[in-house]
């Protein structure tokens, strides 16, 4: 088994197994090969992980932010030194091509440790509030034990995007990766220990939708940060609310990407392709509704078809491969159902739509697929597909496209391609979404806040904004005089 970890869980600085947990396999999506055998966490493992986190957190919170930051920056260095090894593991875990993982996965995780490690010394200061002779001050204090629950599309990145701000604020984290991609987070936990993180502060336990609630409902957990689908988000936020826990919800989307007829055509097509086919379309912020102004429709579609048909599908470990398999057979079946619905509801299949014979018959591949003539009411234009399926819709006017772009319960992202900078700002100003791009798509450096509005969630990851979601303010009023009481 070529990616077998030492044990299923990582708790209190060491690998831990409990064979009483439900066994499950980790599958390499390109070939169907079993690459690891693991066990889901039992209630005893959950207790052990939370108890160790609780024990470790107090001492960690008492350290200076600079000292905490130094450890995170060291973890970033180790991740960069091991980028190749971690990227190969990420490729095995997810099936994403090495061409992508080597530039986008461990590196973006390392960015988070570097960024939050770097701002530790200044980013956690409080305020001094003058009140005449009296004064008050605020302190930014940690929440305690935070739970992170991950999706399967960016397992290492998600483990770091949640872990880095949680740790820098002085919290401990118990992280549960997706059952589809259990391997990467264990390595992050190992690297943090090697970087000097005290034991217990970053524990990883395995499990699925039946394990998650054991964490979310635990009385010693102060905060839950979930990356997942909207239905899961509703369940997790609901459970957390019954105990008034803090929550961050990074959920799904059906984002509009609007191309005006004055746009740079090749850039707009490139943006639309990256925003639909990168990570085999398994990206929450993808611009899956591509609105193209009618004047350039034919040119846009012709070039899009030509470029899409050149995408190299194949062995994810081959550096020339541009499109890997879907994460699992279940996800491929789901996407294929959507493709059938698109055809049945009358969209024009411009290219793709089938299963290529790539690598092995067991590989869960799908051709990059483009539907044209999609209308707002079609299922493929309304529901999140989470696969390499682009829907192209036509539009005439700016006001019309803004209204149609916003006509969704989601509000994660959006983008606009136009040469008219005034129009670009006018449009993004009116689009209802957490993150918007002008003349590019899907760039998410750690310096900028990322998160959703409407049903796509709340809270923000990355940037200084994330600190507010992993800490709270404590206010202290200081009197410099005597108490004047009327009785
Ligand atoms: P999912 O909702 O099925 O699962 C997400 C995680 O939640 C998994 O670890 C799962 O085991 C766990 N889980 C499921 N039910 C739970 C419950 N009741 N209590 C606690 N935990 C539970 O999502 P997925 O299929 O793994 O990922 C795809 C989804 O994630 C898509 O909708 C995508 O848009 C979204 N996503 C969002 C972002 C973002 O930042 N906004 C990023 C990546 C993916």
């Amino acid at each position: 088994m070529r990616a077998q970890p030492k044990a299923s869980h990582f708790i209190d600085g060491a690998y831990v197994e409990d064979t009483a947990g439900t066994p499950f396999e980790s599958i390499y999506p390109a070939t169907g090969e079993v690459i690891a055998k693991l066990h889901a966490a039992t209630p005893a493992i959950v207790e052990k992980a939370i108890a160790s986190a609780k024990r470790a957190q107090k001492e960690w919170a008492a350290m200076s932010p600079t000292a905490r930051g130094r450890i995170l920056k060291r973890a970033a260095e180790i991740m960069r030194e091991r980028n190749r090894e971690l990227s190969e593991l990420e490729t095995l875990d997810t099936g994403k091509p090495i061409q992508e993982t080597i530039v986008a996965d461990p590196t973006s995780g390392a960015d988070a440790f570097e960024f939050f490690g770097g701002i530790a010394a200044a980013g956690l200061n409080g305020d001094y509030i003058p009140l005449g002779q009296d004064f008050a001050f605020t302190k930014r204090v940690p929440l305690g034990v935070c739970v992170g629950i991950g999706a399967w599309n960016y397992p290492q990145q998600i483990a770091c995007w949640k872990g880095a701000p949680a740790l820098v604020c002085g919290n401990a984290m118990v992280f549960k990766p997706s059952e589809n991609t259990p391997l990467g987070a264990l390595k992050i936990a190992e690297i943090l220990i090697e970087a000097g993180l005290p034991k217990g502060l970053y524990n990883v336990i395995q499990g699925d939708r039946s394990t998650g609630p054991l964490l979310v409902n635990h009385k010693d957990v102060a905060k839950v940060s979930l990356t997942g689908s909207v239905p899961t988000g509703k369940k997790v936020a609901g459970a957390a609310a019954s105990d008034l826990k803090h929550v961050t919800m990074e959920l799904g989307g059906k984002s509009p990407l609007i191309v005006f007829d004055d746009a740079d055509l090749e850039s707009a097509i490139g943006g639309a392709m990256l925003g639909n086919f990168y990570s085999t379309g398994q990206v929450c912020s993808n611009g899956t509704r591509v609105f193209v102004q009618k004047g350039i429709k034919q040119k846009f579609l012709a070039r899009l078809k030509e470029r899409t048909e050149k995408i190299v599908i194949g062995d994810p470990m081959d550096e020339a491969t541009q499109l890997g398999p879907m994460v699992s057979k279940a996800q491929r079946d789901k996407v294929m159902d959507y493709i059938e619905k698109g055809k049945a509801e009358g969209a024009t299949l411009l290219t793709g739509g089938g299963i290529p014979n790539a690598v092995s018959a067991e590989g869960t591949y799908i051709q990059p697929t483009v539907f044209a003539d999609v209308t707002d009411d079609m299922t493929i234009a309304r529901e999140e597909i989470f696969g390499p399926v682009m829907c192209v819709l036509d539009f005439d006017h700016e006001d019309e496209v803004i209204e149609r772009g916003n006509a969704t319960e989601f509000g994660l992202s959006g983008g606009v391609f136009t040469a008219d900078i005034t129009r670009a700002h006018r449009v993004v100003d009116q689009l209802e979404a957490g993150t918007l791009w002008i003349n590019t798509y899907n760039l998410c450096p750690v310096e900028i806040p990322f998160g959703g509005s409407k049903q796509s969630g709340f809270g923000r990851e990355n940037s200084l904004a994330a600190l507010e979601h992993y800490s709270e303010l404590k206010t202290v009023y200081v009197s410099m005089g005597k108490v004047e009481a009327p009785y």
Side-chain angles (χ1 to χ4, degrees):
M1 234 134 349
R2 60 169 147 159
Q4 183 67 40
K6 287 185 195 136
S8 301
H9 320 289
F10 193 96
I11 300 173
D12 217 33
Y15 278 96
V16 181
E17 193 60 85
D18 181 350
T19 52
T22 310
F24 70 102
E25 293 174 337
S26 175
I27 309 273
Y28 180 36
T31 60
E33 175 193 343
V34 176
I35 52 169
K37 291 191 173 185
L38 303 113
H39 293 92
T42 54
I45 284 286
V46 172
E47 284 306 324
K48 196 175 160 82
I50 292 177
S52 125
K54 191 177 171 189
R55 206 169 42 240
Q57 190 263 331
K58 295 250 171 326
E59 225 173 289
W60 176 244
M63 279 168 64
S64 77
T66 306
R68 293 200 295 263
R70 194 178 303 131
I71 293 169
L72 299 195
K73 284 189 279 183
R74 178 69 194 123
E77 277 169 20
I78 300 173
M79 285 186 75
R80 291 194 204 290
E81 285 157 15
R82 303 215 188 125
N83 187 34
R84 179 90 218 175
E85 175 202 330
L86 291 168
S87 300
E88 284 176 5
L89 181 68
E90 185 81 344
T91 289
L92 288 172
D93 224 359
T94 60
K96 296 196 291 181
I98 193 83
Q99 186 189 89
E100 287 186 16
T101 53
I102 206 117
V103 295
D105 290 272
T107 48
S108 66
D111 285 350
F113 284 129
E114 195 172 348
F115 176 84
F116 287 106
I119 56 146
L124 297 167
N125 292 344
D127 287 323
Y128 169 83
I129 303 158
L131 299 166
Q133 69 165 8
D134 292 353
F135 65 93
F137 63 91
T138 60
K139 295 169 71 151
R140 195 154 273 289
V141 296
L143 302 174
V145 177
C146 301
V147 159
I149 300 179
W152 39 256
N153 57 344
Y154 281 83
Q156 290 183 30
Q157 181 187 85
I158 293 170
C160 298
W161 281 16
K162 296 191 190 307
L167 290 171
V168 84
C169 288
N171 303 288
M173 171 152 279
V174 179
F175 186 80
K176 188 198 83 60
S178 162
E179 57 276 27
N180 285 311
T181 53
L183 305 175
L186 292 168
K187 279 283 161 205
I188 307 297
E190 236 185 81
I191 286 171
L192 280 164
I193 289 290
E194 195 180 328
L197 188 74
K199 305 188 289 190
L201 289 166
Y202 190 89
N203 297 329
V204 174
I205 66 153
Q206 306 295 344
D208 61 9
R209 59 193 58 240
S210 56
T211 318
L214 300 178
L215 294 169
V216 176
N217 295 326
H218 199 286
K219 65 175 180 19
D220 289 335
V221 168
K223 179 196 169 108
V224 180
S225 174
L226 169 81
T227 298
S229 61
V230 172
T232 303
K234 287 182 179 170
K235 282 187 209 141
V236 172
S242 70
D243 235 356
L244 297 178
K245 290 180 171 122
H246 295 249
V247 284
T248 294
M249 290 286 141
E250 291 289 356
L251 309 177
K254 191 77 196 176
S255 303
L257 192 165
I258 301 169
V259 184
F260 285 94
D261 56 13
D262 62 350
D264 177 312
L265 195 68
E266 289 300 314
S267 286
I269 292 169
M273 290 174 74
L274 281 168
N276 277 276
F277 302 142
Y278 207 71
S279 294
T280 320
Q282 304 163 117
V283 181
C284 52
S285 50
N286 271 353
T288 46
R289 289 181 297 146
V290 180
F291 291 92
V292 178
Q293 204 163 19
K294 278 190 184 148
I296 53 160
K297 175 181 174 182
Q298 293 313 331
K299 259 201 288 184
F300 184 95
L301 290 177
R303 254 318 260 159
L304 173 63
K305 179 171 157 63
E306 195 180 344
R307 286 178 64 174
T308 301
E309 287 173 358
K310 285 197 188 128
I311 289 177
V312 181
I313 307 172
D315 175 0
M317 287 297 177
D318 180 344
E319 293 201 3
T321 294
Q322 296 171 323
L323 193 94
M326 307 293 310
V327 75
S328 65
K329 190 168 176 311
Q331 186 62 17
R332 184 182 60 188
D333 292 348
K334 190 178 144 199
V335 176
M336 287 308 293
D337 281 350
Y338 275 113
I339 290 174
E340 289 312 315
K341 271 190 197 132
K343 290 190 214 162
E345 291 180 15
T348 307
L349 183 63
L350 185 71
T351 184
I355 294 180
N357 189 9
V359 186
S360 106
E362 303 304 313
T364 47
Y365 286 83
I366 286 192
Q367 285 176 327
T369 300
V370 180
F371 280 108
D373 305 314
V374 176
T375 54
D376 298 341
D377 55 335
M378 289 180 185
T379 310
I380 54 171
R382 286 186 288 105
E383 297 181 11
E384 185 184 46
I385 299 175
F386 223 57
V389 181
M390 187 194 304
C391 295
V392 180
L393 304 93
D394 314 333
F395 77 96
D396 288 301
H397 305 296
E398 183 180 318
D399 290 347
E400 167 213 338
V401 78
I402 291 167
E403 196 184 321
R404 289 170 61 199
N406 285 336
T408 167
E409 75 266 26
F410 298 109
L412 190 55
S413 318
V416 55
F417 278 86
T418 174
D420 179 344
I421 193 69
T422 313
R423 170 159 66 190
H425 284 282
R426 204 165 51 226
V427 171
V428 293
D429 208 41
Q430 293 175 80
L431 287 178
E432 297 162 355
T435 310
L436 291 141
W437 291 277
I438 294 176
N439 290 333
T440 188
Y441 204 80
N442 259 358
L443 296 180
C444 285
V446 66
E447 293 87 348
I448 69 171
F450 180 76
S453 63
K454 293 158 82 176
Q455 302 244 330
S456 293
F458 36 79
R460 292 293 177 266
E461 294 199 308
N462 289 341
S463 77
L464 293 176
L467 299 176
E468 287 165 27
H469 299 290
Y470 283 100
S471 61
E472 60 190 359
L473 285 181
K474 180 179 266 188
T475 307
V476 181
Y477 185 112
V478 181
S479 166
M480 301 297 285
K482 290 197 179 301
V483 173
E484 285 176 23
Y487 36 75

